[in-house]
Amino acid sequence: MSKLGLGCMRMSSVWGGPTPDETESIATINAALDSGINFLNTGDFYGAGHNELLVGKAIKGRRDDAFISVKFGAFFHNGQWLGLDLRPVAIKNFINYSLTRLGIETIDLYQPCRMDGSVPVEDIIGTVADLIKEGKVRYVGVSEITPEQLRHANQVYPISALEIGYSLADRQIENELLPVAKELNIAVAAFANTAEGLLTGDMKAPLAADDHHLHFSRFQGDNLVKNLEKVDALKALANDKQVTPTQVAIAWVNVQGDHIMPLVSMSRRARLTENAVAMDIVFTHAEMELLNTIFAHGAIAGGTYLQR
């Protein structure tokens, strides 16, 4: 399993925007596989199935090169979130559509995109466990879950991976969720390493009125101004190391533990090379202290990734 994961979401239109160039997206997936990055993350609701179809085209003829992770359970309409359906009958329906779109017989990691309490954990995880017995799934994963739910899920069936947002700007999971995952020997696929673009160093305040980032309170008004002051320190450190702020953000996640995989969304080959380099970045003790002080838990103004 590669230590860097490729998030495929940005290769499709999820929030109602234009669809990226499909040829370049497929080339990016193949370049990732060629370089040894074999963890491909998708969701059956990304682009209303478009993302799975795209991944299926990319891995045709080289299924054994890829580890396919699929999230399920969410509903969107015209780019708007509608809710979840985690009923066993729905899960059994979702899996067959996903297998068909991907053109494969077995999904390596299958996971509910989150839990909302509407369906018992036993029913959700138990249904995926049944799919393992049928040969349609290899491992059970979970995403955006509480520590209590994670323990509960793992009691129903061994959980192999937790997918969750984690970055210098989003450290709320360090207090309880990460320790539970480590205790239970559950791998962590950490997405949103740049905190939805905050840590890239490219943002300027204020954002345009139609910018989708404004859905997150950290990008609104004085919150963004204060947060960008912290990003300036990140940019200075990156400049000293002759790398980009994005690379520093990914590298910080990478060094948090061997069980933690940075899951980076990309749709262009150029980004693949840049982000792969981040995996080789090391920090001195002083650099880590600086980053952990500036971006201490709660230092970012506005809601966390999960709270918006």
Side-chain angles (χ1 to χ4, degrees), residues 171-182:
R171 304 183 62 171
Q172 69 276 10
I173 65 172
E174 291 178 340
N175 293 334
E176 297 182 38
L177 188 56
L178 279 185
V180 170
K182 190 170 185 179

Side-chain angles (χ1 to χ4, degrees), residues 9 15 20 62 71 91 99 137 153 171 199 235 270 289:
M9 182 183 74
W15 304 105
R62 57 185 314 182
K71 291 187 293 296
I91 297 172
L99 291 171
V137 172
R171 304 183 62 171
L199 304 180
K235 292 165 67 175
E289 280 197 336

